[in-house]
Amino acid sequence: MNTSTPDRETPQTVFDALLDRLTGAAVYNPDDEVAPAAILWPDQQEQWLPLAPRLRQELPHFLTLGEYDPAAKTGPAIWLKCLVDRTLPEADWTEDVAPLIYLPGLSRQDLQPAHCPRPAKPLVELQYRGAVWAWRDDRDWTVHAFLTSQEGGLGLDVAADTTTRQAAQRALLALANTPLAELQGRRLQAADFDALLHPDEARDLLLWLNDQAGTRATWDDSVWEAFRDRCRQRYDFDPETDGALIAAEKLGQRDGHWHSVWQRFAEAPHLYRDLPGLLRQARPATADGLFFNASSWPQENEQAEEELRAALMELKDRPPAEARQLLRRLDNVHGDRRRWVWAKLGQARLAQASEHLVRLAEHTAQPVGGATPNEIAEAYVRDAWQADAAALDALALVETPEDQAALQSVLGAVYRPWLEDSALHFQQAIQRSGLPFTASVEPTPTPGVCLLFADGLRFDVGQRLESALEQSGLIVAQGWGFAALPSVTATAKPAASPVAPLLAGGESGMDFAPRLRADGRELTAQRFRDLLAAQGYAVVGSDDTGSPKTAGWTEAGRLDRLGHDEGWRLAHRIEEEVRTLAHRVGRLLNAGWKEIRIFTDHGWLLLPGGLPKVDLPDYLTETRWGRCAALKSTAHVQTMTVPWHWNAQVRVAVAPGTACFFAGTEYTHGGVSLQECVVPLLTVKASPAAPPPTSIEAVTWVGLRCRLQVAGGFGLKADLRTKAGDPSTSVVERLREIGADGQVSLAVPNDSLEGSAVHVVILGPNDQPVARQSTTIGG
């Protein structure tokens, strides 16, 4: 028989090559040969058995000697003979194809009539009417022989030792899918085949350390044995005989290949939530010596946090200059822990806060200078506001009462005196020359311009918002002004709005709210909106984007409300509120508005543990708020007074420095301080250049919820469709807008679609697709 094969496509994978060789065994020369009745494939060691299911799928003429199972085309010899002779309906392949009969448990020698087992004897004669796929000298094709043979095999350079042969055998399923190009031109050893079963061995090792029983249950014996071999060869331990504690100790020591495993753990420790507990148990008893790495063990970090906490608590009685110096020293000791894995897990919060406390120390070392309110405000706007930002950043990191107490101690020693000195200096300047109110917006409406009012947008938070908007590719122009006095919403919001010329103050400042100049009625929320409409402004709801053909007014953000409700914990909500405001601006610009002008009414003071209390008798006031009070016309007080913005004849008492008329108040406004009175004004436009390209950076599934990370997609929308260009094929209930952080989540309500192929589609203006990526529902 002529076994040369006609030209065929070059095999790409090991499995492709196997199919090629099996097909080639049936090739014959029709000029002097008859077509083979069948091809016999003996495999005494049953090495190829794992590939039998896949071969059945690829080859309808693939038959197997074994227990009767017609669905799998497996059965006894007589039944197979009937299939070869095409006397049974299961012989459904074309007549010009010779059936391939796989013989697990039988060797080439077993096909000799004298040696053939009785159940297989009916097949013996087929070797004379057909062919046998066998190696040289009539030996069976083993996996190793097929890989290495230059005649009929792949001709690869594979080590011949027993360990390598076993590794290749257990990796057969993965090996079958491996491109030949990845195997050629190098010496293949056991580790190379084991790597096919564990292509990401560091991840597999971490998964096993995190959950030994659960991970082992997901691996069959071949994968487990490959894992054991890799661990013995590269990591100097046997997971079965040494156990997880030995491995965890080696992980913490980070010697040799363990160093890269630790790096993988440190990159994403949240994926291995039980591993820290194992490391705690595995810490060496001797915690000294040249090779002891303290950063590996959670108890070392915890002890350092306790030491830092105690040191911070001791600062409350230190003079400010000394406290600032000690903060720098403490950061030199504990700053490295910000790079430890425990910081990523939220277990080094004070070490992280220390970075911001050093910034606080730097920016509070000098009082805010200047002789006039404008000069003082300019110094604050130029640099001093960073002290407020540093205090918020530090507070945002602490959660437990013990850590909050430590931060309260530091802020009391360093931040509070600076706040007090700055406020008193600012108040003295105002008493000399008054506070020149700055109108935030002009009353004349401009079509295409939308005014966005953000209640309580303090200057330092406005700086964060500016940064977030610029990072989204928007153009931001920054300005600042003074709030109306007293710095409460009832007075300052209408004063900053375009309806201010239509308002006036009454004879009493009891509620600090102006009245309509036309008829003297009290200004209510509805009347405020009516005045805006009368001035030519369309009021745009918080969930709408309005029409850019008009001038617009909209409101966003909850900073002031959260501050009153949550006190110092407002620091935890700052980033969330900044994202909300940035997202709102992005939506408006994407809807066609040419310009967004962001302004506010006032800022605020915030100090954990409460601002100092000062007394003001009730009988002297019409009404008393946290930092201000409307005085009776006959009252005489020692504290500072300022004229009410809406009626200069009404006097308003202002608490001195950072004091408050109520005890225990952590968040408040209404007084005179840089933090309350200097307010930001941001003008935002879309970039005239082409928008940055939108790309889908990550698609992850948690059940039937798809989470996306999109670059350049701020303010756009996301959809899941079976056909990318057809919106009617969407599998989600509604489109979702992409947040300022580039993230969005889409839920598929129909669980029967799990496993279906869909397209992630990012939609730009007019809902036109700007990016697409294929995925599978459920991952």
Side-chain angles (χ1 to χ4, degrees):
M1 176 178 294
N2 184 352
T3 57
S4 63
T5 61
D7 291 339
R8 292 190 294 273
E9 292 185 5
T10 302
Q12 300 298 313
T13 67
V14 172
F15 187 79
D16 294 337
L18 178 63
L19 288 180
D20 182 77
R21 305 307 191 268
L22 290 171
T23 303
V27 173
Y28 68 101
N29 186 345
D31 292 335
D32 56 15
E33 295 177 312
V34 298
I39 306 298
L40 302 180
W41 179 8
D43 180 18
Q44 185 181 36
Q45 299 178 35
E46 301 184 352
Q47 290 192 3
W48 298 98
L49 197 58
L51 289 180
R54 184 174 176 185
L55 288 165
R56 292 190 189 100
Q57 292 180 346
E58 294 286 339
L59 305 174
H61 55 286
F62 183 81
L63 313 178
T64 305
L65 178 66
E67 297 292 330
Y68 181 62
D69 183 1
K73 292 184 178 175
T74 300
I78 294 298
W79 184 77
L80 293 175
K81 284 278 301 267
C82 294
L83 288 179
V84 170
D85 294 337
R86 307 184 69 84
T87 60
L88 295 175
E90 288 87 349
D92 54 1
W93 56 91
T94 58
E95 294 187 7
D96 60 340
V97 174
L100 174 63
I101 302 179
Y102 177 56
L103 305 173
L106 294 179
S107 68
R108 176 68 179 89
Q109 288 70 31
D110 288 334
L111 295 179
Q112 299 300 321
H115 302 99
C116 186
R118 184 179 182 85
K121 282 190 174 182
L123 301 176
V124 170
E125 61 90 16
L126 288 176
Q127 64 185 311
Y128 306 115
R129 292 198 291 131
V132 178
W133 190 58
W135 193 30
R136 62 189 180 197
D137 300 328
D138 288 336
R139 286 182 290 171
D140 296 351
W141 277 110
T142 62
V143 171
H144 184 268
F146 183 71
L147 294 175
T148 58
S149 177
Q150 298 289 344
E151 300 177 4
L154 302 182
L156 300 174
D157 183 7
V158 181
D161 59 275
T162 302
T163 301
T164 300
R165 292 171 182 263
Q166 292 173 344
Q169 178 63 52
R170 61 175 170 254
L172 182 60
L173 289 175
L175 179 61
N177 294 322
T178 304
L180 290 174
E182 295 182 8
L183 303 173
Q184 294 166 337
R186 61 191 180 101
R187 178 73 164 176
L188 300 174
Q189 298 179 323
D192 299 299
F193 296 111
D194 286 338
L196 296 176
L197 293 176
H198 296 278
D200 190 346
E201 65 182 36
R203 175 180 175 273
D204 289 342
L205 186 48
L206 290 170
L207 287 172
W208 177 78
L209 282 168
N210 185 66
D211 180 9
Q212 297 97 59
T215 304
R216 173 65 181 92
T218 65
W219 293 342
D220 60 28
D221 289 344
S222 63
V223 175
W224 172 247
E225 289 303 320
F227 178 68
R228 289 185 65 192
D229 273 358
R230 295 293 280 174
C231 289
R232 288 190 292 259
Q233 294 172 27
R234 289 176 63 85
Y235 301 103
D236 191 30
F237 92 105
D238 187 327
E240 190 162 289
T241 59
D242 293 326
L245 280 177
I246 296 295
E249 181 177 351
K250 290 179 177 293
L251 175 64
Q253 292 169 335
R254 310 186 204 176
D255 293 333
H257 294 295
W258 283 104
H259 179 73
S260 61
V261 180
W262 177 269
Q263 287 183 316
R264 287 293 298 276
F265 169 57
E267 287 170 2
H270 295 91
L271 298 177
Y272 314 102
R273 62 181 184 180
D274 293 331
L275 184 49
L278 188 64
L279 286 166
R280 183 183 300 276
Q281 299 175 49
R283 176 184 177 273
T286 302
D288 54 13
L290 181 62
F291 301 105
F292 180 77
N293 195 330
S295 64
S296 296
W297 317 107
Q299 48 270 68
E300 297 295 321
N301 174 68
E302 291 163 2
Q303 181 179 342
E305 278 286 283
E306 291 175 2
E307 293 171 356
L308 178 56
R309 186 180 299 112
L312 295 177
M313 289 294 295
E314 292 179 358
L315 296 183
K316 62 182 178 181
D317 297 324
R318 302 293 181 95
E322 183 181 343
R324 283 191 287 270
Q325 190 174 39
L326 289 171
L327 283 173
R328 297 185 187 98
R329 292 177 184 173
L330 289 171
D331 192 63
N332 287 336
V333 174
H334 295 275
D336 282 345
R337 291 197 293 114
R338 290 192 286 272
R339 293 182 286 274
W340 290 10
V341 68
W342 314 114
K344 286 188 177 181
L345 292 172
Q347 297 171 17
R349 294 189 176 274
L350 289 180
Q352 292 174 294
S354 176
E355 178 180 17
H356 305 300
L357 295 178
V358 170
R359 284 173 48 220
L360 179 64
E362 293 173 354
H363 291 289
T364 57
Q366 299 295 330
V368 183
T372 66
N374 272 313
E375 290 176 355
I376 298 171
E378 286 172 356
Y380 176 74
V381 167
R382 185 168 53 250
D383 183 67
W385 63 268
Q386 295 190 54
D388 301 319
L392 286 181
D393 286 338
L395 286 170
L397 286 165
V398 301
E399 294 183 345
T400 66
E402 295 80 9
D403 286 353
Q404 187 268 332
L407 262 292
Q408 182 177 326
S409 172
V410 176
L411 297 182
V414 175
Y415 184 51
R416 180 172 171 174
W418 179 83
L419 280 178
E420 183 73 13
D421 292 344
S422 299
L424 288 172
H425 182 54
F426 189 50
Q427 290 171 3
Q428 291 166 2
I430 290 173
Q431 285 181 310
R432 291 192 299 267
S433 58
L435 185 69
F437 169 71
T438 310
S440 298
V441 295
E442 297 178 359
T444 304
T446 303
V449 175
C450 186
L451 306 181
L452 190 157
F453 172 77
D455 193 4
L457 183 66
R458 198 168 74 170
F459 187 84
D460 59 308
V461 182
Q463 296 293 102
R464 295 172 193 254
L465 177 58
E466 178 187 7
S467 177
L469 293 169
E470 289 180 338
Q471 288 176 9
S472 300
L474 303 178
I475 298 174
V476 185
Q478 179 194 135
W480 65 273
F482 288 122
L485 296 180
S487 52
V488 295
T489 299
T491 286
K493 178 181 177 180
S497 77
V499 305
L502 305 178
L503 304 173
E507 296 181 357
S508 169
M510 178 174 290
D511 56 5
F512 294 125
R515 297 178 178 275
L516 273 64
R517 187 181 293 275
D519 55 21
R521 290 183 297 168
E522 179 183 353
L523 181 65
T524 63
Q526 183 57 53
R527 290 170 184 155
F528 182 74
R529 289 191 290 269
D530 291 343
L531 289 177
L532 285 169
Q535 288 287 87
Y537 287 89
V539 178
V540 180
S542 59
D543 292 329
D544 300 324
T545 53
S547 172
K549 296 179 180 180
T550 65
W553 167 283
T554 191
E555 301 183 19
R558 303 176 301 154
L559 283 164
D560 191 43
R561 185 194 317 168
L562 292 170
H564 286 297
D565 290 346
E566 301 186 20
W568 74 268
R569 290 186 178 276
L570 170 65
H572 288 178
R573 311 293 290 276
I574 296 296
E575 289 302 321
E576 173 189 348
E577 287 300 300
V578 167
R579 286 196 301 269
T580 297
L581 290 168
H583 188 201
R584 179 65 172 146
V585 172
R587 286 191 64 198
L588 292 169
L589 290 173
N590 283 332
W593 292 94
K594 298 178 182 178
E595 181 176 297
I596 312 298
R597 297 178 186 173
I598 306 170
F599 67 103
T600 190
D601 48 358
H602 58 75
W604 30 269
L605 290 175
L606 183 145
L607 195 66
L611 298 163
K613 181 182 181 299
V614 66
D615 290 328
L616 181 66
D618 287 345
Y619 64 83
L620 297 175
T621 64
E622 296 281 0
T623 184
R624 186 175 57 166
W625 294 26
R627 289 263 294 157
C628 60
L631 294 174
K632 292 181 178 179
S633 59
T634 58
H636 296 280
V637 296
Q638 298 298 316
T639 189
M640 175 184 177
T641 63
V642 295
W644 181 31
H645 173 83
W646 294 107
N647 183 350
Q649 302 305 311
V650 176
R651 290 183 303 149
V652 178
V654 176
T658 58
C660 185
F661 294 135
F662 302 108
T665 302
E666 295 183 326
Y667 170 96
T668 191
H669 54 88
V672 174
S673 68
L674 291 164
Q675 289 73 21
E676 295 165 284
C677 296
V678 178
V679 293
L681 175 62
L682 304 177
T683 303
V684 189
K685 298 179 181 180
S687 173
T694 301
S695 63
I696 302 169
E697 295 187 331
V699 180
T700 57
W701 287 89
V702 179
L704 295 178
R705 181 170 294 277
C706 180
R707 293 177 177 166
L708 308 177
Q709 181 68 51
V710 183
F714 171 44
L716 304 183
K717 300 175 185 177
D719 195 7
L720 293 175
R721 302 173 177 177
T722 57
K723 295 181 179 179
D726 186 354
S728 67
T729 64
S730 175
V731 298
V732 299
E733 292 182 345
R734 64 186 179 91
L735 305 181
R736 298 297 299 271
E737 291 185 354
I738 299 168
D741 56 1
Q743 297 181 2
V744 67
S745 176
L746 298 162
V748 179
N750 186 353
D751 57 9
S752 67
L753 294 176
E754 185 169 9
S756 302
V758 291
H759 301 277
V760 175
V761 182
I762 306 302
L763 304 172
N766 302 318
D767 288 343
Q768 293 300 307
V770 295
R772 181 200 67 80
Q773 182 172 319
S774 299
T775 185
T776 301
I777 295 177

